Amino acid sequence: MNTKRLPIIGITQGDINGIGYEVIIKVLSDSRIFENFTPVIYGQSKVFSYYKKRFGLEEMSYAVIRDISGVQAGRINIINHTDEELKIEVGISTHTADEAAAAALKLAMNDLLKGDIDAMVTAPINKRSIKSDSFKYSGNNEFVSSFFKDHKALMLMVWEKLRVGTVTNHIPVKDISGAVSKELILSKLQIMNKTLKEDFGIDAPKIAVLALNPHSGEDGVLGQEERDIIIPAIKEATESGIMAFGPYAADGFFGAASWTKFDGVLSMYHDQGLIPFKTLAIDGGVNFTAGLPVITTSPAHGTAYDIAGKGTANPESFRHAIFIALDIIKERRQKLEVRS
């Protein structure tokens, strides 16, 4: 990693029929961003031109480059994943849009793996339809993690001082209890503890662990997972030097704003952590794939077909996704310099 130059941030176009290009264009229309990083969009210049014209920003200029070696600092760079005309159908899920999103993601991932870009920020994809024979993943996290078989990843949602990780991710609610194990909880706590230290600069992070059952199981009356799995995992983590506390009943924990006393929160399943997170974060939340040697972030919202093309999409989550990636790059560079 070249620690002297401005970071190069790879931005994937996401679903061309959603709000991806709108939030990308809104963020990159502020020329001050070039003081902090060099943006490279992996997508399609004709689609970019379509949307910047649609939103009255025809004056925005960009450079189309064949590959990352031609990157130009101080301006928007676009690497086309195809020279073919892409049919844009604003607000509609299409096979063309899914294929284009996957192709852009693969192209950017290749440069990320080679170290040619410092981080990848992904615009929203359609998780329900993007899976295919050529793209077998239900989301960006799963795709990126598949390249690192020797690393365990953690989906970490970030908004200001609130950082929420999940033990289980995109699985049916009926399967959650069977998927939660002491070993899995311990693994996620280890990843969270490490990323809070190395990526967020917190020397001695305190982590709250949420219960699975209502009222933390009421000593086994409402479920045994706390007694048999979660408490032993917390105990083992504490003995290894991790400051883990709990388990806390999720309703009271967030209702009393207890999260403000901790540096990280580990939830047992997706909605348990993400419903309160998105309620608190509103438009500013960011998804960071922790535990990997590469840096990838994304806004905590979807394709938003219902408002696509209307010019009303809020770009703050996408902006925060870029700047959280920049903060993590800075932390990792500083630690690399200290070690060298």
Side-chain angles (χ1 to χ4, degrees), residues 81-143:
H81 67 84
T82 181
D83 292 323
E84 295 179 7
E85 197 83 31
L86 294 177
K87 186 177 182 181
I88 302 168
E89 299 182 68
V90 179
I92 299 173
S93 173
T94 66
H95 180 63
T96 296
D98 289 333
E99 283 194 327
L105 193 55
K106 290 176 181 178
L107 194 61
M109 190 66 200
N110 186 53
D111 283 345
L112 185 66
L113 291 170
K114 292 188 296 184
D116 290 336
I117 58 177
D118 298 291
M120 181 172 72
V121 179
T122 58
I125 60 176
N126 188 334
K127 292 183 175 65
R128 291 184 296 275
S129 62
I130 197 170
K131 288 184 73 173
S132 66
D133 290 340
S134 61
F135 192 85
K136 303 179 184 298
Y137 311 96
S138 58
N140 295 323
N141 288 323
E142 291 81 2
F143 171 70

Side-chain angles (χ1 to χ4, degrees), residues 94-279:
T94 66
H95 180 63
T96 296
D98 289 333
E99 283 194 327
L105 193 55
K106 290 176 181 178
L107 194 61
M109 190 66 200
N110 186 53
D111 283 345
L112 185 66
L113 291 170
K114 292 188 296 184
D116 290 336
I117 58 177
D118 298 291
M120 181 172 72
V121 179
T122 58
I125 60 176
N126 188 334
K127 292 183 175 65
R128 291 184 296 275
S129 62
I130 197 170
K131 288 184 73 173
S132 66
D133 290 340
S134 61
F135 192 85
K136 303 179 184 298
Y137 311 96
S138 58
N140 295 323
N141 288 323
E142 291 81 2
F143 171 70
V144 174
S145 300
S146 71
F147 289 87
F148 301 95
K149 302 299 184 184
D150 295 333
H151 291 77
K152 295 177 180 178
L154 170 72
M155 184 173 75
L156 188 66
M157 308 301 295
V158 183
W159 172 71
E160 296 185 359
K161 300 298 183 183
L162 175 61
R163 305 172 191 92
V164 178
T166 56
V167 173
T168 60
N169 292 343
H170 300 112
I171 65 172
V173 172
K174 66 181 178 62
D175 297 334
I176 293 171
S177 178
V180 171
S181 67
K182 186 185 81 169
E183 292 73 23
L184 184 58
I185 295 170
L186 186 58
S187 173
K188 299 295 184 179
L189 281 171
Q190 290 167 341
I191 299 168
M192 182 177 281
N193 187 61
K194 184 177 180 181
T195 197
L196 290 173
K197 287 181 176 180
E198 297 186 358
D199 295 330
F200 294 89
I202 302 169
D203 292 331
K206 294 195 301 180
I207 302 171
V209 180
L210 300 184
L212 175 64
N213 297 298
H215 306 290
S216 296
E218 290 278 24
D219 292 325
V221 175
L222 299 177
Q224 284 96 41
E225 287 86 355
E226 285 74 21
R227 183 184 62 198
D228 298 342
I229 298 171
I230 302 175
I231 291 173
I234 294 172
K235 183 174 183 292
E236 188 168 333
T238 303
E239 290 171 350
S240 71
I242 297 172
M243 290 198 292
F245 304 86
Y248 298 100
D251 57 349
F253 181 82
F254 284 105
S258 297
W259 63 269
T260 59
K261 302 173 185 177
F262 295 90
D263 302 297
V265 181
L266 185 64
S267 64
M268 291 297 115
Y269 57 95
H270 183 281
D271 283 14
Q272 182 188 51
L274 268 64
I275 287 175
F277 175 85
K278 291 189 176 184
T279 301

